[in-house]
Amino acid sequence: MTAESADAATDEGRAWLTARYADDRPAFVRMNMVATLTGAAAGGDGTSDSITSPTDRTVLGVIRRAADVVVVGAATVRAEGYVVPRTASLAIVSRTGRIDGHRLAAASVGRVVLLVPESAAASPPEGVEVVRVGPGPDIAPREVLASLAERGWRRVVCEGGPALAAQFAAAGLIDEYCVTVAPSLTPAERPFLPLGTHVETDVAGMIVDEAGFSYLRLRARRGGAANRR
């Protein structure tokens, strides 16, 4: 067994991480989330900010650069104060159309969409386009992916929250699970991935940093996103 070392704060380290997380498939769905050792999706402040790390944020940027679009639930946008990603578009999934608490001011036209049921009322900030998807009240993950594919967004990264990520996993739509595990023991009242069924995976990569954070990549065993859509 051999060990490699890279500093994520350097250009060389970022290039090394980029190579480790590279994915040149024309269509895929990745999940990217952070959790504690006990499986909690948030720390003591109620957000993921308190359980992340500099390397985790670098990995986040690397994964986003390989994607066309980031998919996230409205509850996570409200809780985390989401901003528009630098390199990918943003798709927000909401049953109600509410995304208060966001930081999406002056969003670039065409880069941010709000996916809502036909019956939902929505008053998004300037630059955010409302897309009606299905009758509601819920939006199926396959409907989300079909709507994104119509825009040419086929390389997808789902960043949660837990409920949305679990829906994608239960539907068998996630090709790769990218999970950062923080070396923290915290109450896990809200697990980062509340699955109701077992998902078969194989380890595609594993990194551990000096702060004790681990970065795990798990590939789903059955088919790929391009074969299912």
Side-chain angles (χ1 to χ4, degrees):
M1 176 180 288
T2 61
E4 297 178 84
S5 178
D7 184 353
T10 66
D11 290 341
E12 293 80 4
R14 286 188 288 271
W16 184 83
L17 283 172
T18 297
R20 292 295 294 264
Y21 282 88
D23 194 325
D24 58 3
R25 290 174 295 174
F28 59 75
V29 179
R30 275 174 155 173
M31 185 201 79
N32 184 37
M33 296 183 71
V34 60
T36 66
L37 281 170
T38 47
D45 64 350
T47 76
S48 62
D49 285 345
S50 56
I51 59 173
T52 188
S53 71
T55 300
D56 178 51
R57 289 189 286 273
T58 299
V59 168
L60 173 71
V62 166
I63 291 174
R64 284 180 170 182
R65 283 194 294 275
D68 297 321
V69 62
V70 171
V71 175
V72 67
T76 298
V77 170
R78 294 194 294 267
E80 302 276 351
Y82 253 65
V83 298
V84 182
R86 294 180 181 178
T87 58
S89 297
L90 178 66
I92 305 167
V93 181
S94 174
R95 291 190 299 176
T96 65
R98 285 184 51 238
I99 53 172
D100 45 290
H102 65 83
R103 291 185 287 159
L104 302 174
S108 299
V109 175
R111 288 195 58 213
V112 183
V113 296
L114 176 62
L115 306 178
V116 299
E118 293 174 359
S119 59
S123 299
E126 182 180 356
V128 177
E129 179 184 352
V130 176
V131 178
R132 305 285 175 177
V133 183
D138 294 315
I139 301 175
R142 289 186 185 277
E143 293 177 331
V144 171
L145 295 181
S147 179
L148 299 179
E150 289 178 358
R151 295 170 174 269
W153 297 342
R154 297 181 179 274
R155 297 177 300 165
V156 178
V157 54
C158 177
E159 295 183 357
L164 183 65
Q167 290 170 14
F168 269 77
L173 297 175
I174 298 178
D175 299 297
E176 183 173 280
Y177 296 79
C178 301
V179 184
T180 296
V181 181
S184 304
L185 298 172
T186 57
E189 299 175 358
R190 191 168 176 243
F192 83 100
L193 193 60
L195 288 175
T197 185
H198 185 72
V199 177
E200 295 287 345
T201 62
D202 295 304
V203 176
M206 175 73 172
I207 302 170
V208 180
D209 67 18
E210 293 183 352
F213 284 76
S214 59
Y215 307 87
L216 184 64
R217 291 169 52 221
L218 301 173
R219 289 273 176 87
R221 287 185 183 175
R222 294 183 179 178
N227 297 326
R228 290 193 297 270
R229 298 196 292 277

